Amino acid sequence: MRTNDPFIPEIEKASKQEIKKFQERLLKENLLYLKNYSGFYSELFEKNKIDIAKINTIEDLRHIPVTTKDDIQKRNNDFICVDKNKILDYITTSGTLGDPVTFAMTDKDLTRLAYNEYISFVCADGSSNDVYQLMTTIDRRFMAGMAYFLGLRKLGAGIIRVGNGIPELQWDSIKRFSPTTLIAVPSFILKIIEYAESNGIDYRNSSLKKAVCIGEPLRNTDFSLNLLGSRIKEKWDLKLYSTYASTEMSTAFTDCSEGIGGHHHPELIITEFLNENNEPVREGEEGELTITTLGIEGTPLLRFKTGDICNYHSELCKCGRNTIRLGPIVGRKNQMIKYKGTTLYPPAIYDVLDNIPGIENYVVEVSTNKIGTDEILIRIGLIVPDINFEKKIKDNFRAKLRVTPEIVCLPISDIDKIQSPDINRKPKKFIDNRKNAHNE
Ligand SMILES: [Zn+2]
């Protein structure tokens, strides 16, 4: 091996069988840790008469009940396995019942998090020669920004912590420090392109070559770029990488240069893909990603149902990693919409709307109609009001999703008010008014 080959952990180059055996060994250690230190899981084992000595394989996990977001909300303190004096960083996520949920991180957990992002950035063709412009928040009790910082530091790359928003400051940093790579929400990349165009910035000839994209999928399930991905690519020939992660997982699934799904890191997490009855789906079928964290001290999770629906792929990747890959997240399980016989998730609707020029903002609302099925109403704010626009939008939906929801055009300010009735909360693009709605 040449010394300048990018770092790939040995286990990720091992055979599928070796990876499985390796994970099963780690699983045993983690089960023992949970039994000894987790109030929630020691009780769960006892109540369900689970003898952890008999859980030896990934398949055996099926004997253990799954953990849900509600469980973590209701029993938050019982999930934390360490004393307060071992906690270094407090992170919160929005809970299912309104109150935030705390994730406690120990020194060891931060080291693990740094390793996770380090190998993820290497996977996305990063090296110590790169300079990253970090366009995501690093404070406000979020995990992501800090995780990227720690990973980039371990990688030895340059980091510019601009944070989110403020296109002017983003361009100022790009001119000053010549970053090679953006870490950004992809729709915000469109915003900084817009800013560059209206301010005469020659963005195509800037120092930037790559973008690691978070929070929104760039690709369709066949890995072709979705509308958002192709709109960025048409304007600006950046190499795009998706990364998918969450606080609960403390682990990222990041594209390699092949762009065919986010690679699984078997030393950090066990993945299962389950149907509604918590049975494993077959490869190629959509399932809910269910995870068991490995090596976490503060707030480890066992069979946690993430709510994220995706496909997995196990054929070997050309990059040399033999781990499975996650396809783009098609949606949240509780946001699944059954509309006129088609199963839809809000991100597919956003992808259509985000890519019709002239739409400034929108709200997608789902409700239950008289016959008990889902109805979709999309309220749209137009830059230039136009009566013929509705038809154009409907044509777009028909072409892309094969169904046409009901559409109403309103002034942009009206949509703003619906999106943010409370200034302290994140603007909402999705409102679920269905009978069994489970709003997060
Ligand atoms: Zn790969």
Side-chain angles (χ1 to χ4, degrees):
M1 195 173 98
R2 297 193 312 274
T3 49
N4 60 350
D5 275 345
F7 173 70
I8 301 179
E10 285 306 313
I11 190 61
E12 300 188 9
K13 297 185 276 188
S15 70
K16 299 258 178 229
Q17 204 48 39
E18 284 168 316
I19 291 173
K20 185 170 183 290
K21 286 268 166 291
F22 168 83
Q23 286 216 297
E24 287 169 348
R25 207 179 63 235
L26 293 182
L27 174 63
K28 297 289 284 180
E29 288 170 17
N30 279 266
L31 287 170
L32 192 60
Y33 182 83
L34 292 173
K35 186 175 189 297
N36 290 335
Y37 299 103
S38 167
F40 180 83
Y41 289 112
S42 56
E43 190 187 304
L44 179 118
F45 296 152
E46 208 173 88
K47 257 193 192 164
N48 293 278
K49 300 191 173 56
I50 292 162
D51 178 3
I52 57 163
K54 288 186 180 149
I55 308 289
N56 294 309
T57 65
I58 305 281
E59 292 78 12
D60 290 343
L61 276 173
R62 275 170 239 171
H63 303 298
I64 302 174
V66 295
T67 302
T68 64
K69 282 198 173 218
D70 274 354
D71 293 328
I72 308 179
Q73 173 109 62
K74 287 180 187 145
R75 304 275 309 273
N76 201 173
N77 285 335
D78 295 331
F79 277 90
I80 298 174
C81 297
V82 293
D83 289 336
K84 191 155 186 182
N85 66 3
K86 278 199 89 179
I87 301 173
L88 280 183
D89 196 62
Y90 293 88
I91 292 169
T92 62
T93 61
S94 52
T96 48
L97 308 170
D99 227 27
V101 171
T102 304
F103 283 81
M105 307 277 292
T106 67
D107 184 52
K108 189 179 162 210
D109 293 338
L110 291 178
T111 304
R112 179 189 169 285
L113 194 62
Y115 170 81
N116 158 64
E117 289 302 339
Y118 162 56
I119 57 176
S120 297
F121 282 120
V122 172
C123 193
D125 297 331
S127 78
S128 59
N129 297 322
D130 281 304
V131 176
Y132 287 80
Q133 182 142 320
L134 183 53
M135 298 164 77
T136 157
T137 312
I138 204 164
D139 55 1
R140 297 185 59 196
R141 314 195 304 219
F142 284 124
M143 178 184 276
M146 177 185 66
Y148 299 138
F149 181 85
L150 294 173
L152 293 173
R153 183 182 178 208
K154 191 169 166 63
L155 179 64
I159 314 165
I160 315 160
R161 289 175 295 110
V162 186
N164 59 1
I166 330 177
E168 193 180 354
L169 187 63
Q170 303 293 350
W171 280 112
D172 177 78
S173 293
I174 294 165
K175 279 183 227 157
R176 268 175 213 280
F177 309 114
S178 303
T180 58
T181 315
L182 298 176
I183 303 172
V185 176
S187 53
F188 188 66
I189 298 180
L190 285 176
K191 291 261 190 280
I192 70 160
I193 293 174
E194 241 171 66
Y195 182 90
E197 284 178 341
S198 49
N199 289 277
I201 297 168
D202 184 9
Y203 59 94
R204 290 196 187 94
N205 290 312
S206 72
S207 54
L208 288 158
K209 300 284 174 275
K210 300 177 281 187
V212 176
C213 294
I214 58 176
E216 296 162 339
L218 288 173
R219 295 175 198 282
N220 300 308
T221 47
D222 65 358
F223 299 118
S224 59
L225 288 174
N226 64 13
L227 290 171
L228 176 61
S230 25
R231 255 182 90 199
I232 296 171
K233 201 75 182 162
E234 274 160 23
K235 291 271 185 189
W236 197 359
D237 192 24
L238 294 173
K239 174 114 181 161
L240 303 175
Y241 305 83
S242 271
T243 185
Y244 158 71
S246 69
T247 303
E248 291 90 346
M249 299 194 294
S250 271
T251 305
F253 295 81
T254 307
D255 281 0
C256 68
S257 57
E258 300 295 317
I260 48 171
H263 275 285
H264 170 222
H265 299 304
E267 61 274 54
L268 299 175
I269 200 163
I270 291 171
T271 57
E272 298 173 84
F273 302 85
L274 305 181
N275 67 16
E276 303 200 346
N277 304 317
N278 295 330
E279 293 154 351
V281 299
R282 275 182 307 222
E283 185 167 356
E285 287 175 0
E286 284 176 358
E288 180 176 359
L289 176 64
T290 303
I291 57 100
T292 296
T293 57
L294 298 171
I296 289 185
E297 247 179 2
T299 322
L301 296 176
L302 174 62
R303 302 201 84 206
F304 170 69
K305 296 197 90 183
T306 62
D308 290 327
I309 306 289
C310 65
N311 290 296
Y312 72 95
H313 301 266
S314 66
E315 71 273 27
L316 298 185
C317 186
K318 284 190 199 133
C319 72
R321 292 171 185 82
N322 292 340
T323 56
I324 62 154
R325 289 164 284 110
L326 258 58
I329 303 301
V330 297
R332 300 277 311 156
K333 186 178 170 237
N334 55 30
Q335 294 184 339
M336 185 172 83
I337 305 165
K338 297 262 193 193
Y339 187 62
K340 296 179 181 169
T342 300
T343 299
L344 280 178
Y345 292 92
I349 298 175
Y350 306 156
D351 194 42
V352 173
L353 294 168
D354 287 340
N355 291 286
I356 303 174
I359 294 183
E360 174 65 21
N361 52 9
Y362 57 82
V363 175
V364 177
E365 186 178 326
V366 195
S367 56
T368 310
N369 63 19
K370 279 182 200 143
I371 54 164
T373 62
D374 293 348
E375 282 295 332
I376 308 173
L377 169 67
I378 304 175
R379 283 178 285 203
I380 290 171
L382 296 180
I383 293 168
V384 183
D386 175 3
I387 246 161
N388 297 318
F389 214 84
E390 250 175 56
K391 188 184 173 298
K392 187 179 165 187
I393 298 169
K394 286 194 169 173
D395 288 346
N396 264 285
F397 272 106
R398 204 170 295 119
K400 189 77 189 155
L401 301 178
R402 283 166 299 165
V403 286
T404 52
E406 198 182 326
I407 286 162
V408 177
C409 296
L410 291 170
I412 291 169
S413 57
D414 286 16
I415 306 288
D416 273 336
K417 274 181 216 146
I418 303 169
Q419 281 189 336
S420 315
D422 174 356
I423 193 159
N424 296 315
R425 299 193 67 143
K426 242 165 65 177
K428 276 201 286 195
K429 328 196 253 194
F430 183 67
I431 298 175
D432 198 341
N433 286 331
R434 288 178 292 188
K435 271 187 194 144
N436 300 315
H438 194 126
N439 285 304
E440 283 172 23

